[in-house]
Amino acid sequence: MTASSYLIGWSHSRFGKLPQPDIEALISDVALPAIADAGLEPQDIDAVSVGVFGSGFSRQSFDAALVGTAAPELAHTAAVRSENACATGSAALHAAIDRIEAGRAKAVLVIGAEKMTAVSGAEATDVLFGCAHRRTESEHGSFAAVFAHLTRLYGERFGDPRESLAMIAAKNHRNGVANPYAHMRKDLGVEFCATESERNPVVAAPLLRTDCSMVSDGAAAVVVAAPDLARAARRRVAVRSRAQANDPLPIAARRDPLAFDAARTAFRRALAEADVALHDLDLLETHDCFTSAELLQYEAFGLADPGEGGKILAEGMTLPDGKLPVNVSGGLKAKGHPIGATGVSQHVIAAMQLVGEAGDMQLPRAARAAVFNMGGAAVANYATVLEAAP
């Protein structure tokens, strides 16, 4: 097997409402541990690629430079920040791979982090609404309401998806119980997730609280290495392929708002570049910022025909013992969604599965994984295929 880059070391903080006061502290928690996990020293790192969304969550900017403050051993290492809404972590990872493939580095440290809980709920809602097109979508008032709009469109076209959404939420919360990093480790059950209640209120009709990912703090880091350096690593995960595709930010400008065309394009390009098909995958970590996002991704990726995503849920395809386990980590729904950290976290969790280090989350077979991370309502779409390497 040949690959242009490998993941050789990683670290992951717990996600949730954390005591760490800021991005600097979160970066400090994961930077040097990831390097050590890769069997390297700070001086072996040629560059640092940082993913922080920011955009109002913190008054501190210049996040790339915070790495050298959080970890003084890296103060003189070239560092740059990427930002692409909720796909910020994958943008930082792809930038690192670009540097490796260009021959400009042998080892790049990728760090994704976000401190979201230091602002009020109203402030967080406004910051996140910046991932929608404010000029044409201001009537929605929140990013959750944008996905609520898509969910209503889905119901009008295909029938009420409430049961399917509840099954996705329940699956991911049940999976999250086994994830020591998860924001919420509680099996809520389908009935609770399907029913509006005082504990599960409407956020933006028809989406309930259990349909929405949580506002979380957290960080994750991974070391990307060139093949010659990776050969000496104690374990390595091959980046078999990757792809990015974009759709217009305004939903009204798209051919079909329920088709997730660019998500489909990125995912299929990644599979084609890796020369694999859906049935060759052993797991998928995908971007369930809302349960309806995961449902629409099933259909965009070809797991189900349009309007029939509920069928594969009823068949158990996406369960840990199904044909294609989806979000065995608990996904964004249970694990949490600290924006800049999310894409890095998804790749770390997938890599852990592929090397048999996922603990209670571990699948009996995990040789090849796909990761999908999106910014906005499927605007910036990143797909990666990872494979266990001998």
Side-chain angles (χ1 to χ4, degrees):
M1 173 176 40
T2 59
S4 60
S5 57
Y6 293 82
L7 311 183
I8 65 170
W10 43 78
S11 62
H12 199 299
S13 80
R14 187 172 67 82
F15 284 2
K17 185 175 175 60
L18 303 183
Q20 288 86 339
D22 51 30
I23 288 289
E24 184 178 327
L26 291 167
I27 288 172
S28 179
D29 286 346
V30 298
L32 296 182
I35 296 171
D37 188 61
L40 301 178
E41 299 293 335
Q43 60 267 27
D44 299 321
I45 300 298
D46 299 310
V48 182
S49 184
V50 179
V52 175
F53 176 61
S55 198
F57 281 119
S58 170
R59 294 188 63 195
Q60 173 67 62
S61 55
F62 206 4
D63 299 288
L66 286 177
V67 176
T69 305
E73 298 91 333
L74 297 169
H76 298 286
T77 305
V80 68
R81 171 196 172 202
S82 296
E83 185 279 312
N84 218 355
C86 302
T88 288
S90 288
L93 177 64
H94 281 219
I97 296 170
D98 285 342
R99 190 181 284 253
I100 295 287
E101 291 183 346
R104 303 288 295 178
K106 295 291 186 182
V108 180
L109 173 65
V110 182
I111 302 170
E114 209 73 59
K115 179 71 180 180
M116 301 175 71
T117 66
V119 302
S120 70
E123 289 174 305
T125 295
D126 186 63
V127 169
L128 293 172
F129 193 36
C131 295
H133 191 236
R134 289 182 185 267
R135 181 170 61 81
T136 62
E137 295 166 358
S138 60
E139 72 277 7
H140 295 305
S142 72
F143 193 59
V146 172
F147 266 89
H149 169 65
L150 294 175
T151 308
R152 289 192 297 272
L153 291 179
Y154 189 97
E156 292 166 6
R157 187 182 302 182
F158 301 118
D160 185 6
R162 168 44 48 201
E163 184 177 359
S164 297
L165 303 186
M167 291 176 71
I168 289 170
K171 167 183 69 71
N172 291 347
H173 277 291
R174 186 166 58 251
N175 290 347
V177 172
N179 185 351
Y181 306 119
H183 187 151
M184 181 181 289
R185 302 180 68 187
K186 188 174 183 179
D187 185 353
L188 298 177
V190 174
E191 183 177 354
F192 179 85
C193 295
T195 307
E196 179 187 350
S197 67
E198 185 177 345
R199 294 175 56 213
N200 190 25
V202 172
V203 174
L207 298 180
L208 305 177
R209 180 177 290 167
T210 49
D211 293 308
C212 308
S213 59
M214 292 172 286
V215 171
S216 309
D217 309 325
V222 64
V223 175
V224 186
D228 54 349
L229 181 62
R231 276 192 290 270
R234 66 183 178 88
R235 40 85 158 109
R236 57 194 181 132
V237 171
V239 180
R240 296 293 293 152
S241 65
R242 59 198 174 94
Q244 180 193 355
N246 270 47
D247 249 339
L249 178 57
I251 290 173
R254 302 184 195 179
R255 176 189 66 84
D256 180 350
L258 297 181
F260 277 22
D261 285 334
R264 175 186 294 109
T265 296
F267 192 78
R268 291 185 176 180
R269 280 180 183 168
L271 293 186
E273 184 180 317
D275 194 23
V276 300
L278 275 171
H279 66 262
D280 296 314
L281 299 174
D282 297 308
L283 68 144
L284 168 63
E285 283 291 316
T286 201
H287 193 102
D288 59 318
C289 50
F290 301 94
T291 51
S292 50
E294 183 168 325
L295 182 65
L296 288 166
Q297 287 159 24
Y298 292 167
E299 299 172 12
F301 299 161
L303 277 69
D305 290 332
E308 298 188 354
K311 290 185 178 180
I312 67 169
L313 288 162
E315 294 166 359
M317 176 189 287
T318 61
L319 296 175
D321 60 353
K323 291 181 180 179
L324 180 58
V326 177
N327 286 337
V328 293
S329 66
L332 285 58
K333 178 78 267 291
K335 183 180 62 178
H337 184 23
I339 294 182
T342 288
V344 181
S345 167
Q346 290 178 305
H347 288 84
V348 168
I349 294 292
M352 291 170 62
Q353 285 283 351
L354 297 177
V355 298
E357 297 177 7
D360 291 341
M361 296 183 284
Q362 187 64 52
L363 295 169
R365 172 178 168 76
R368 188 178 293 113
V371 174
F372 176 76
N373 182 204
M374 71 184 189
V379 178
N381 302 273
Y382 292 79
T384 313
V385 175
L386 302 175
E387 193 166 294

